[in-house]
Each structure stands twice: as structure tokens, then as C-alpha cells.
Amino acid sequence: MTSFNTLFNRMFQEKSKSVYLIYLIQAFATLCFTIMMTVSAGGHSQEVVVGNERESINPIVEFLFMFAVMMFMTSFIAAFVYWIVSSVKNERINRSQTWRLIPISDTKFLLSNFGTAFFTYIWLGILEIATVIVASLPLLLSSKEIKIALQRSNFDFSAQDWGQLLGGLFLMILLGYAWYAVVSLINLSSRSIMDFLPSGSSKVLVFFVRLVTVIVIIWLLAYAGTTLFSVFGRFTPFDFGTGDSGVGTTLLAFLTFDVIVTLIDILLLNKFVEAKQN
């Protein structure tokens, strides 16, 4: 049997290729936008405004900071593109005969598939954040006014603040996992139904079946999510260290939702969906 760590590392390496491609395209597009903005500015000296103070900045420092700003702005588009690309890749792996022949349980296979997609997204975010920080450093280190403003800033976090931050992090992980689990549920369920159709079924019939399946599943998931929140909101008083019982209820509801959808995905993958040749 293949170990979970081995499969996870292999999938992570495979999906990282998409991350690097998206990052390079994003960086190139950001560079083009920055050059266009610099040219449109006409080479005039720019100033940085901190409170009521103004300070002239070096053109190169200005260019790098503009690049950092544009990199941050385009990160939202890059994230959207990544979620689509990674979802498609996940479903291809689910139905790939090459991947499915790996001697490992369906549970570990799905968890590895969903987990690597989410963690490669985190890796994309790390690359973007590192780029923004590096491009912003010349301005942060050279501007006296920004240094003074940072020194005056108060970053004292209370235990409740850290609890809310940790709760938000867990919620982000659960939401990211839920996205991939739901996409797989829609794809695997519609594929399972279509496999029972006659081989000569028209494209119109296949499209109609898939559309109805998607609508029904989305409605069921929405109903199930609403029910879970209602039940846990009534019977769960725990705040999970966040200082807010509503956050604990949300985390527990999403955790339960993820587990249920994953179990359905495992059942569909194991019993109803056959792998196909690449």
C-alpha cells in the first residue's frame, strides 16, 4: 500500500505546476500594468502621504511599490482562476485510471486530492505575499514618515483577538475544503447518473440530466447547511476559545457538512464511478 504522505507529496508536486504557471502569468501581467501606469504618469515626481505629512520618493522605489500594489490587486483574480483550474484537475484525478490504480484507500485518496488542492492554493498565496513584501520593502525602509507611523502603531492583541483570528483560519480551511468536496459531489453524482443512461443518448439528454442533477444537489446542500446551522445554533453553546459562541457553531456546522459530503464522495467514487484511461 502507498502511504498517505507519499501520495500527498506526489499530488502536491503535480498541482504546484499550475500554481507556478498562474503566478508567472500574474507577475508578468502586473509588470505590464505597472509599466503602463508609470508611463501614463509622465515621469513626474511622486509623493507618499502619511497622515498630514508628504514625502518625495525615488522613482525606482515608486515603481516597485506600484508593482506591489498591482500584485495585491491581481491576487484576487489569480485566486479565482486557481479555484477553477484546481477543481478541474481534482476531477480529472478522481477519474484518472493512472491515479486510481495507486494502492491506497478511497478515503485517503480523496483527502489527499482535496488537501493538496487547498495547500497549493496556500502556496500561491505565500508566493504572492512574499512578492508584495519584497517589492514594498524599499519604500518601507527608505520612508522616514512610514517608519514613524509604524513605531506609533499599537499591535497589542488580546486573547480574544487571537481566538477570533484562529477561528477565522479554521473557518477558511473548512470553506476551502467544502468547495472541493461539493464540486466533486456534483461531478461524481452527475457522472454516476449518466453512466446508467443508454450509450447512444443524445447530448441534449446528457446536458439536461446533468443540469437537473446539479440543481437538485445544490438545493439539497443549501437545505442541509441551513438545517445544520439551525440545529447547532440551538444546542451548541461552545465558543471554541474565540469568545463568540456563533463562531463555534459555524465551525462545527461546516466541519459536519464537510464530513458528510466527503463520505458521500467516497461512496460514489468507490461504488458508482469508474476510472477512465488518460
Side-chain angles (χ1 to χ4, degrees):
M1 292 288 288
T2 302
S3 68
F4 178 81
N5 290 338
T6 301
L7 179 62
F8 191 94
N9 291 334
R10 184 66 188 92
M11 285 187 175
F12 186 90
Q13 293 173 6
E14 179 66 25
K15 295 176 182 179
S16 294
K17 298 176 183 177
S18 299
V19 168
Y20 296 135
L21 179 60
I22 292 173
Y23 173 77
L24 290 175
I25 294 175
Q26 179 190 2
F28 179 75
T30 299
L31 180 61
C32 293
F33 289 142
T34 306
I35 293 175
M36 293 172 58
M37 292 175 63
T38 303
V39 172
S40 64
H44 299 295
S45 177
Q46 299 295 321
E47 294 180 332
V48 59
V49 180
V50 181
N52 297 324
E53 303 294 334
R54 293 178 177 270
E55 183 180 6
S56 298
I57 57 177
N58 184 282
I60 297 178
V61 174
E62 174 197 353
F63 181 86
L64 290 175
F65 183 70
M66 290 173 61
F67 179 85
V69 173
M70 291 303 302
M71 192 72 182
F72 175 76
M73 294 175 64
T74 55
S75 65
F76 297 98
I77 300 175
F80 176 77
V81 172
Y82 175 81
W83 285 108
I84 301 301
V85 171
S86 60
S87 297
V88 173
K89 181 163 290 189
N90 274 6
E91 299 316 304
R92 288 179 177 175
I93 289 177
N94 281 340
R95 299 204 66 211
S96 170
Q97 192 175 67
T98 302
W99 285 99
R100 293 284 297 279
L101 287 175
I102 296 176
I104 195 169
S105 66
D106 290 330
T107 301
K108 293 181 179 179
F109 183 88
L110 271 181
L111 290 177
S112 178
N113 198 12
F114 297 157
T116 49
F118 181 76
F119 280 104
T120 46
Y121 168 68
I122 298 298
W123 178 232
L124 174 62
I126 292 174
L127 292 175
E128 293 171 336
I129 292 173
T131 303
V132 170
I133 292 176
V134 170
S136 301
L137 275 179
L139 177 62
L140 298 177
L141 296 177
S142 62
S143 174
K144 295 180 180 180
E145 297 299 331
I146 293 180
K147 289 181 181 178
I148 294 174
L150 290 176
Q151 290 174 357
R152 293 175 177 174
S153 300
N154 183 14
F155 298 103
D156 185 21
F157 288 93
S158 64
Q160 183 175 349
D161 293 332
W162 283 111
Q164 291 178 348
L165 182 62
L166 187 61
L169 178 62
F170 284 149
L171 182 59
M172 183 181 69
I173 294 174
L174 294 175
L175 282 173
Y177 183 90
W179 165 265
Y180 293 115
V182 169
V183 170
S184 285
L185 176 61
I186 292 174
N187 181 63
L188 294 176
S189 57
S190 60
R191 177 60 57 183
S192 301
I193 294 174
M194 287 188 295
D195 286 343
F196 286 98
L197 296 177
S199 57
S201 300
S202 65
K203 294 182 179 180
V204 176
L205 177 60
V206 171
F207 174 79
F208 178 76
V209 170
R210 172 162 287 188
L211 179 63
V212 171
T213 304
V214 169
I215 293 175
V216 170
I217 290 176
I218 292 177
W219 182 84
L220 289 175
L221 289 175
Y223 180 79
T226 303
T227 303
L228 285 174
F229 275 98
S230 176
V231 171
F232 287 120
R234 182 178 303 175
F235 297 106
T236 307
F238 307 109
D239 61 11
F240 294 91
T242 63
D244 184 359
S245 60
V247 175
T249 299
T250 302
L251 291 175
L252 190 56
F254 269 110
L255 177 61
T256 305
F257 179 86
D258 288 350
V259 171
I260 293 174
V261 174
T262 299
L263 291 176
I264 298 174
D265 286 340
I266 294 171
L267 176 65
L268 292 172
L269 189 67
N270 186 29
K271 301 295 184 180
F272 300 100
V273 177
E274 294 184 0
K276 64 178 182 178
Q277 294 183 350
N278 296 343

